Amino acid sequence: MDGAAPEPRLEDLKVPPVFAGLRVGLFGGSFDPPHQGHVHVVETALERLRLDRVWMMVTPGNPLKNRAGLPPLAARIEAARALARHPRVVVTGLEAGFGSPYSWETVRRLTACLPAVRFVWIMGADNLGAFHRWQHWRRIADAVPIAVVDRPGYTLAALSSPAARALAGRRIPEHEAASILDAPPPVWTFLHAPRSPLSSTALRRAGVR
């Protein structure tokens, strides 16, 4: 039908191929639009956590945000794929394939179906500040390690957030960050790196998509 939103490819809704022992970072977001700040988080995680893959999981829509005007999933997947041209980065719409926008449900399904894969949840410091508002956020923390990558202007708010305080005793020093994939959750680390000031919100306000 003319004017209909493009549908994502069936392959983009499936869980990417894996093998036992694979170290996979899970990095979710609306990616509206994707930008170099996202690439910075991904590349920092790949290097500092010694990951084999990062899955950029393009969500159907953030339950905590207004989805009005959100571009179609297929368009955001293609935009993220065009930006994240790295051999160890996989862009996927698997959450739409699961039929749920909630991260705890994504983590539950992946860890149950792929117990031989070592997953780590990746987020920017801005998301740690709001992590306690996510549905069943403790289920995520209890299921997989978490790596937080610093973002300009969010460091202090993130580290003093309710979630950070609740998990303070389970924080791994940054110089041991790669070890969190072998540690029983809840466990997390905070990664400092050259920080990107870009944000999707600022780009949307500037009319960039």
Side-chain angles (χ1 to χ4, degrees):
M1 181 183 297
D2 291 343
E7 292 293 327
R9 299 180 308 164
L10 182 60
E11 199 65 27
D12 288 335
L13 304 182
K14 295 180 179 179
V15 175
V18 297
F19 54 82
L22 196 70
R23 298 166 64 92
V24 177
L26 302 174
F27 181 44
S30 299
F31 300 106
D32 176 31
H35 53 71
Q36 286 298 328
H38 295 134
V39 174
H40 165 72
V41 170
V42 166
E43 292 181 346
T44 299
L46 277 169
E47 178 183 354
R48 302 286 294 280
L49 302 177
R50 300 173 191 163
L51 301 179
D52 298 305
R53 302 282 189 278
V54 168
W55 293 354
M56 289 182 67
M57 301 185 302
V58 184
T59 180
N62 187 332
L64 295 177
K65 295 181 179 179
N66 186 346
R67 304 185 200 184
L70 186 67
L73 177 63
R76 289 181 286 122
I77 288 174
E78 289 309 311
R81 188 168 286 141
L83 183 69
R85 295 183 179 278
H86 191 289
R88 289 186 285 150
V89 175
V90 179
V91 178
T92 174
L94 64 84
E95 287 185 307
F98 285 164
S100 172
Y102 293 106
S103 298
W104 71 268
E105 179 70 6
T106 298
V107 169
R108 183 190 69 80
R109 292 195 184 199
L110 289 175
T111 54
C113 296
L114 303 170
V117 175
R118 288 182 285 179
F119 289 109
V120 57
W121 189 265
I122 301 166
M123 65 170 71
D126 51 329
N127 280 319
L128 179 60
F131 192 35
H132 63 286
R133 297 176 55 215
W134 293 21
Q135 187 179 76
H136 300 315
W137 71 271
R138 288 301 299 249
R139 295 188 187 182
I140 301 173
D142 289 341
V144 291
I146 296 172
V148 182
V149 180
D150 200 8
R151 294 284 306 278
Y154 291 99
T155 308
L156 294 179
L159 293 176
S160 62
S161 67
R165 293 199 305 270
L167 300 173
R170 299 296 298 167
R171 183 178 172 184
I172 296 295
E174 187 171 0
H175 68 275
E176 299 176 7
S179 71
I180 66 170
L181 278 84
D182 302 308
V187 62
W188 68 291
T189 193
F190 193 91
L191 302 177
H192 295 86
R195 298 178 295 178
S196 171
L198 291 174
S199 76
S200 293
T201 300
L203 290 174
R204 286 196 303 275
R205 287 173 179 165
V208 176
R209 259 196 170 137

